């Protein structure tokens, strides 16, 4: 597990490219020391430079990077873990390759010799890597299928620059001009959607893609993998799988899950698991317990507020599997913790479950270097209420319009505001205001933090004009982020469409970003066995009605793990790993919130009308409306902006 970065200066008009500065390359790597505190490494050859920071996990003695092939014509820096590297290594040795180390990194170099860019199709793992081909003078960048590991890049007329985190590119002098459209979308989604970043010149390499950059600046971007949801008309609710019974699919998935966990237990350093007490992480604990000859190390975090506290569930799991259990009840110094966490992302990011994720990673790192997690289960096995809400909405629309508009909706909208996690009033209000929409737009509506009208009311005239100048349009609905993904699977079953879009948006740009940054900020590697691509591919092809039955989420996964888990966990409802932010904002963070979103600081930003922001904050503080997500979205943007070393708008 590492952090990587590098540059390629282009040859132009017959002139030799300038050499890469070793000093600048070292400065880039220093910005990501937390990703690899154990060592660093560099490769410099005229107009190309590769750098890395290493966290030793596999082959502790001989696995230092960069690593080359036998004749030194291919060089790699790599972030991640290849779980099938032992099998690939045996195959390569049989083909005559000479490997000098026992690391998974070296395996990729020799696979590239054999298969070129198609080498990525052989890899089972999480990865982002850069490979320099000195003979062809080409830089090859690749990212894993689901985007577990990050990779940012920029292509200008003069050079290509890449890195594991945005701060690498900023350290190389990449422009800090903001991408206003990305920020516009952030305000609706509370993350910056791929492939954009907060900076106009920087892009995220999309998952399942590779990028080949030649020394003269020409480049090729190609998709090598996608989730194979069946497509074809008609995508009916009752469609059955072509082959196999439910019991056969359950057994096959059970085997794939066990094999995924088995592969991901490969490590030369201590490992454990981040245990929430929910179905996903508990399923991984069950597999680990059956594969290890020692107690599983589990790490859990909780809160004093009962509706947010999952520690009782985690304790039941720990007791059932006799784990070596560690837990923490959160009483953080929030005003110190928040800026530290928010600024790790290098761009606005407002999923406040990052706070407990940081703390549980910090606790786990005291005992282990690697931790497994249950992330991805919701997007693979249909675990969110939104995955059946479209069916409920269809039934709701059958009611007479006057009943919906004159009786139900007014009654729901008058419900008192609750600060409990996933409260009934929040779910009901969100449902009745979006039930009339087509299911694609309805799914987006569940995700929206600030809608288009609310954003327009917030914007100053100057910001609205700058946004209009960049986009060339008077207004741009952020549903445009979701639309291309829906279009790509428009012939698939509705549930599969939702799962696909969630994997390409929320999973990619929220869940995986959060876990990567918060764990690596503590030099902890986190692995996600539920996102093993072989498992994902199999579940994608299973009949949709087996993944979500009526109003039960993750029906298939529940059957897979039912023989091994406590019944309370198997029957449990989706809760989510979120802190009691609505309560914190009204109490511990009240003064902090009014300070960060003060008129003076908002005027310095110049993007939002202070009086409009104040109304959002006051409504929440007075209990009139739960605006916690909108407030946090604005807070994170202001803190990010203020962390810039120079103004972002001229």
């Amino acid at each position: 597990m590492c952090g990587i970065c590098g540059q390629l200066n282009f040859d132009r008009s017959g002139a030799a490219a300038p050499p890469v500065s070793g000093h600048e390359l070292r400065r880039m790597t220093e910005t990501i020391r937390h990703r690899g505190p154990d060592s660093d490494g560099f490769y410099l050859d005229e107009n190309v430079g590769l750098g890395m920071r290493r966290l030793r996990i596999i082959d502790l003695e001989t696995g230092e990077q960069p690593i080359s092939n036998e004749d030194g014509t291919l060089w790699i820096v790599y972030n991640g873990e290849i779980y099938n590297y032992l099998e690939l290594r045996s195959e390569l040795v049989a083909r005559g390759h000479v490997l000098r180390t026992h690391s998974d990194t070296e395996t990729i170099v020799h696979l590239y010799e054999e298969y070129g860019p198609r080498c990525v199709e052989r890899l089972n793992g999480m990865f982002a890597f850069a490979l320099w081909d000195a003979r062809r003078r080409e830089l090859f960048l690749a990212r894993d299928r689901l985007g577990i590991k990050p990779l940012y890049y920029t292509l200008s007329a003069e050079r290509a620059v890449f890195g594991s985190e945005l701060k690498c590119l900023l350290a190389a002098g990449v422009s800090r001009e903001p991408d206003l459209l990305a920020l516009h979308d952030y305000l609706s989604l509370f993350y910056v959607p791929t492939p954009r970043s907060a900076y106009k010149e920087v892009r995220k390499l999309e998952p399942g893609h590779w990028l080949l950059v030649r020394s003269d600046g020409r480049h090729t971007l190609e998709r090598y993998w996608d989730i194979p949801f069946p497509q074809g008309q008609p995508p009916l609710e009752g469609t059955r799988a072509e082959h196999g019974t439910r019991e056969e699919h359950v057994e096959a998935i059970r085997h794939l899950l066990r094999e995924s966990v088995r592969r991901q237990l490969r490590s030369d350093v201590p490992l454990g698991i981040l245990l929430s007490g929910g179905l996903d992480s508990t399923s991984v604990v069950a597999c680990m317990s059956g594969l290890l000859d020692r107690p599983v190390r589990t790490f859990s975090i909780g809160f004093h507020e009962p509706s947010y506290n999952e520690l009782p569930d985690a304790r039941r799991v720990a007791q059932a599997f006799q784990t070596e259990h560690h837990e923490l009840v959160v009483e953080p110094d929030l005003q110190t913790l928040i800026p530290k966490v928010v600024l790790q992302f290098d761009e606005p990011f407002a999923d406040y479950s990052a706070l407990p994720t940081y703390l549980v990673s910090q606790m786990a790192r005291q005992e282990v270097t690697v931790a497994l997690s249950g992330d991805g289960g919701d997007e693979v096995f249909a675990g969110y209420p939104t995955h059946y809400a479209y069916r409920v909405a269809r039934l709701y629309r059958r009611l007479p319009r006057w009943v919906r508009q004159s009786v139900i909706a007014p009654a729901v909208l008058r419900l008192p505001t609750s600060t409990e996690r996933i409260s009934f009033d929040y779910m009901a209000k969100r449902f009745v205001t979006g039930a009339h929409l087509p299911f694609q737009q309805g799914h987006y509506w569940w995700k929206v933090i600030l809608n288009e009208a609310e954003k327009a009311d917030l914007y100053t005239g100057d910001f609205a004009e700058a946004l209009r100048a960049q986009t060339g349009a008077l207004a741009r609905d952020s549903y445009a982020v979701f639309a291309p993904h829906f279009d790509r699977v428009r012939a698939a079953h509705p549930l599969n469409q939702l799962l696909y879009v969630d994997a390409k948006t929320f999973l990619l740009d929220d869940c995986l970003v959060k876990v990567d940054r918060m764990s690596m900020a503590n030099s902890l590697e986190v692995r996600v066995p539920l996102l093993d691509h072989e498992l994902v591919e199999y579940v994608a092809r299973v009949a949709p009605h087996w993944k979500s039955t009526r109003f039960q989420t993750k029906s298939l996964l529940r059957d897979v793990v039912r023989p091994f888990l406590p019944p309370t966990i198997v029957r449990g409802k989706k809760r989510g790993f979120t802190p009691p932010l609505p309560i914190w904002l009204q109490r511990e963070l009240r003064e902090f919130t009014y300070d960060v979103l003060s008129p003076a600081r908002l005027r310095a930003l110049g993007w939002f009308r202070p009086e409009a922001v104040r109304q959002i904050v006051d409504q929440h503080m007075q209990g009139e409306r739960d605006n916690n997500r909108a407030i946090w979205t604005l807070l994170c943007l202001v803190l990010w902006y203020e962390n810039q070393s120079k103004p972002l708008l001229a």
Side-chain angles (χ1 to χ4, degrees), residues 345-511:
F345 294 96
D346 301 328
E347 63 182 357
F349 180 85
D351 184 343
Y352 45 81
S353 64
L355 298 171
T357 304
Y358 179 90
L359 294 171
V360 75
S361 297
Q362 186 180 64
M363 176 176 63
R365 187 62 178 91
Q366 296 173 15
E367 302 289 334
V368 299
T369 311
V370 176
L372 278 63
S373 83
D375 290 282
D378 292 313
E379 291 77 12
V380 174
F381 290 98
Y384 296 121
T386 53
H387 293 148
Y388 60 73
Y390 76 96
R391 297 197 298 267
V392 179
R394 189 171 54 201
L395 295 174
Y396 179 74
R397 288 195 295 270
R398 293 178 182 174
L399 295 173
R401 179 176 297 180
W402 70 268
V403 173
R404 288 183 275 130
Q405 294 182 349
S406 302
V407 179
I408 298 177
V412 167
L413 294 176
R414 286 196 298 269
L415 289 172
T417 299
S418 170
T419 55
E420 291 190 356
R421 179 170 61 176
I422 316 179
S423 63
F424 173 76
D425 75 282
Y426 171 81
M427 298 284 284
K429 290 171 184 175
R430 182 65 62 158
F431 176 80
V432 298
T433 54
H436 65 286
L437 297 169
F439 84 93
Q440 295 95 336
Q441 285 89 346
H443 189 65
Y444 169 74
W445 179 252
W446 279 102
K447 313 285 186 179
V448 168
I449 309 301
L450 291 162
N451 61 40
E452 300 309 309
E454 290 167 334
K455 288 188 291 188
D457 185 56
L458 281 175
Y459 293 160
T460 63
D462 288 344
F463 184 82
E465 181 57 37
L467 178 63
R468 184 161 48 248
Q470 180 177 317
T471 61
L474 185 63
R476 193 271 205 176
D477 194 319
S478 291
Y479 174 72
V481 172
F482 282 39
H485 301 305
F486 274 119
D487 287 345
R488 190 171 178 84
V489 289
R490 59 183 175 273
H493 184 279
L495 175 62
N496 286 341
Q497 291 187 46
L498 302 184
L499 293 174
Y500 183 86
V501 170
D502 281 352
K504 298 295 182 179
T505 56
F506 185 70
L507 174 67
L508 171 65
D509 290 316
D510 184 303
C511 300

Side-chain angles (χ1 to χ4, degrees), residues 210-437:
W210 55 257
L211 174 67
L212 184 68
V213 185
R214 298 166 181 84
S215 198
D216 61 4
R218 292 178 299 131
H219 64 274
T220 302
L221 178 65
E222 187 168 309
R223 181 194 302 268
Y224 68 86
W225 185 87
D226 206 355
I227 305 173
F229 285 116
Q231 299 204 54
Q233 298 294 341
L236 301 176
E237 278 292 324
T239 301
R240 294 296 193 264
E242 285 188 28
H243 306 288
T245 65
R246 182 182 180 91
E247 290 71 25
E248 289 170 337
H249 287 308
V250 165
E251 186 59 36
I253 292 169
R254 188 177 293 143
H255 171 74
L256 287 168
L257 176 58
R258 181 182 172 86
E259 282 302 293
S260 173
V261 173
R262 181 187 61 78
R263 283 191 294 262
Q264 297 194 25
L265 290 177
R266 289 176 174 173
S267 173
D268 293 334
V269 294
L271 56 77
I273 178 169
L274 308 182
L275 174 63
S276 70
L279 182 65
D280 299 334
S281 60
T282 302
S283 301
V284 178
V285 169
C287 292
M288 292 174 71
S289 295
L291 292 165
L292 293 175
D293 57 3
R294 59 188 182 278
V296 177
R297 292 169 171 167
T298 52
F299 303 91
S300 304
I301 202 164
F303 309 97
H304 290 296
E305 291 75 9
S307 72
Y308 292 84
N309 187 29
E310 288 190 319
L311 281 181
D313 290 334
R315 289 172 192 151
R316 280 191 287 272
V317 174
Q319 183 176 10
F321 292 99
Q322 294 297 294
T323 72
E324 182 185 311
H325 189 54
H326 306 261
E327 64 180 42
L328 172 70
V329 176
V330 176
E331 293 181 345
D333 177 359
L334 291 170
Q335 296 191 33
T336 301
L337 177 66
I338 288 170
K340 182 190 301 183
V341 166
V342 166
L343 300 180
Q344 282 291 334
F345 294 96
D346 301 328
E347 63 182 357
F349 180 85
D351 184 343
Y352 45 81
S353 64
L355 298 171
T357 304
Y358 179 90
L359 294 171
V360 75
S361 297
Q362 186 180 64
M363 176 176 63
R365 187 62 178 91
Q366 296 173 15
E367 302 289 334
V368 299
T369 311
V370 176
L372 278 63
S373 83
D375 290 282
D378 292 313
E379 291 77 12
V380 174
F381 290 98
Y384 296 121
T386 53
H387 293 148
Y388 60 73
Y390 76 96
R391 297 197 298 267
V392 179
R394 189 171 54 201
L395 295 174
Y396 179 74
R397 288 195 295 270
R398 293 178 182 174
L399 295 173
R401 179 176 297 180
W402 70 268
V403 173
R404 288 183 275 130
Q405 294 182 349
S406 302
V407 179
I408 298 177
V412 167
L413 294 176
R414 286 196 298 269
L415 289 172
T417 299
S418 170
T419 55
E420 291 190 356
R421 179 170 61 176
I422 316 179
S423 63
F424 173 76
D425 75 282
Y426 171 81
M427 298 284 284
K429 290 171 184 175
R430 182 65 62 158
F431 176 80
V432 298
T433 54
H436 65 286
L437 297 169

Side-chain angles (χ1 to χ4, degrees), residues 591-609:
E591 184 177 342
F592 176 81
T593 300
Y594 276 115
D595 178 39
V596 174
L597 299 181
S598 67
R601 293 171 76 166
L602 291 172
R603 280 193 289 269
L605 173 63
W607 296 354
F608 307 124
R609 298 189 304 113

Side-chain angles (χ1 to χ4, degrees), residues 114-167:
E114 284 284 335
Y115 303 105
R118 294 196 64 183
C119 70
V120 292
E121 299 170 16
R122 305 294 307 280
L123 303 176
N124 180 302
M126 55 180 186
F127 56 85
F129 66 84
L131 194 151
W132 172 246
D133 187 332
R135 285 178 296 191
R136 293 186 173 89
R137 309 300 292 175
E138 294 175 344
L139 178 67
F140 180 72
L141 304 176
R143 191 177 182 194
D144 65 64
R145 294 170 177 80
L146 287 148
I148 303 166
K149 291 289 103 183
L151 192 58
Y152 295 86
Y153 71 95
T154 184
L155 293 171
S156 67
E158 295 78 27
R159 62 177 180 165
V161 186
F162 68 88
S164 293
E165 297 185 14
L166 272 166
K167 55 176 66 72

Side-chain angles (χ1 to χ4, degrees), residues 43 54 58-76 85 88-90 92-93 96-111 113:
Y43 170 81
R54 187 183 183 207
I58 298 290
D59 189 9
L60 307 186
E61 299 301 323
T62 65
E64 298 298 328
Q65 300 181 39
I67 288 178
S68 72
N69 62 346
E70 297 95 330
D71 61 7
T73 56
L74 294 174
W75 288 86
I76 190 173
Y85 79 99
L88 293 172
R89 177 187 174 86
S90 297
L92 290 165
V93 170
H97 291 265
V98 178
L99 282 73
R100 299 184 299 272
T101 76
H102 296 281
S103 70
D104 54 338
T105 308
E106 190 178 14
T107 303
I108 303 173
V109 177
H110 294 276
L111 275 177
E113 283 189 296

Side-chain angles (χ1 to χ4, degrees), residues 533-577:
H533 78 270
E534 295 176 12
L535 176 63
V536 170
E537 288 172 353
Y538 189 95
V539 177
R541 296 187 178 102
V542 173
H545 73 280
W546 283 341
K547 301 173 194 175
S548 175
T549 57
R550 296 186 179 179
F551 306 135
Q552 184 181 62
T553 58
K554 286 188 277 204
S555 175
L556 196 59
L557 181 60
R558 293 177 198 274
D559 283 354
V560 167
V561 298
R562 194 179 304 276
F564 317 114
L565 302 189
T568 54
I569 300 298
V570 175
R571 296 193 301 266
K573 295 181 179 180
K574 175 68 181 172
R575 301 182 73 179
F577 189 44

